[in-house]
Amino acid sequence: MNNNYEFYEKPLDTARLLEGKIVNVRRDTVELINGKTAFREVVEHPGGVVILAVDDKRRAYMVRQYRYPICKELLEVPAGKLERGEAPLDGAIRELKEETGLTAGKLIYFGGTYPSPGFCDEQLHIYLALELSQGEACPDEDEFLRVEAIDLDELAEMALRGELPDGKTINAIFMAREYLRKNQA
């Protein structure tokens, strides 16, 4: 671990609290920069991919699904967790095909983002998918969703009105819209 930062917390001890199917949880004891100790609860997650697929008519392919932790149905970009050791690009190709049936002739990588770095190490890798071809979707057996094609500018307006509460979706929409504004006439 690099401790050349002005702010740094030195790990002293770790207690494993949960080893789950998707996440693990640990409680670390850390030494703060003032010499005192504190506890940090950390959710370990293998990371994930976020793919906003946009066709030549600037329609974005979204998925509507129920999210149990918040007890709501959400409209989101296609996304999914990475398998342990899976490259983000491979995960993006797999998740886009599974959830929408789409394959992309071109994938543009926008980088990674940490949705909740205060307690979770999950990193989401964001992609824009272009030059789309339609095939058959094959969602996981416990995954129920509906694909919807919505104008990219309308999605941005929905986000600004607070109608899209999912952070990864908002990030992907505005990153993709700005990229397309700058790179396509």
Side-chain angles (χ1 to χ4, degrees):
M1 212 174 242
N2 183 353
N3 61 0
N4 293 326
Y5 297 107
E6 180 180 355
F7 298 107
Y8 177 74
E9 297 177 355
K10 178 182 175 186
L12 301 175
D13 187 43
T14 295
R16 304 297 288 174
L17 303 179
L18 170 74
E19 300 231 356
K21 180 180 174 187
I22 297 174
V23 300
N24 298 327
V25 181
R26 70 177 200 263
R27 183 179 57 234
D28 292 350
T29 304
V30 299
E31 182 180 327
L32 305 174
I33 60 174
N34 64 2
K36 295 183 179 184
T37 59
F39 293 108
R40 300 289 184 247
E41 294 172 340
V42 179
V43 175
E44 301 169 341
H45 187 283
V49 291
V50 175
I51 315 97
L52 183 61
V54 179
D55 67 17
D56 57 356
K57 296 176 184 165
R58 290 181 55 92
R59 293 178 304 184
Y61 290 79
M62 307 290 286
V63 293
R64 187 174 298 278
Q65 61 186 325
Y66 185 80
R67 291 301 195 175
Y68 180 81
I70 61 169
C71 301
K72 288 183 183 180
E73 184 179 281
L74 292 181
L75 183 64
E76 306 174 43
V77 290
K81 83 173 182 61
L82 290 169
E83 302 300 326
R84 300 262 179 215
E86 182 179 31
L89 179 60
D90 294 336
I93 293 166
R94 175 181 50 77
E95 284 293 336
L96 182 63
K97 176 73 174 153
E98 283 179 8
E99 293 193 1
T100 67
L102 294 168
T103 54
K106 186 176 183 181
L107 280 166
I108 296 145
Y109 182 58
F110 290 143
T113 183
Y114 294 98
S116 296
F119 71 91
C120 186
D121 68 357
E122 177 186 29
Q123 183 178 32
L124 295 177
H125 300 273
I126 302 174
Y127 290 87
L128 170 62
L130 301 171
E131 300 171 10
L132 306 176
S133 300
Q134 185 66 59
E136 283 295 315
C138 49
D140 295 335
E141 65 181 29
D142 62 349
E143 191 171 41
F144 302 94
L145 46 85
R146 183 175 65 239
V147 177
E148 299 179 20
I150 302 171
D151 180 79
L152 185 58
D153 291 326
E154 174 58 23
L155 284 172
E157 290 301 317
M158 291 169 70
L160 292 171
R161 290 190 304 261
E163 297 170 13
L164 299 174
D166 178 57
K168 70 183 180 301
T169 295
I170 294 167
N171 282 348
I173 289 167
F174 285 100
M175 292 171 108
R177 195 167 86 150
E178 184 64 10
Y179 175 88
L180 293 171
R181 185 187 68 77
K182 288 182 176 178
N183 293 286
Q184 294 182 349

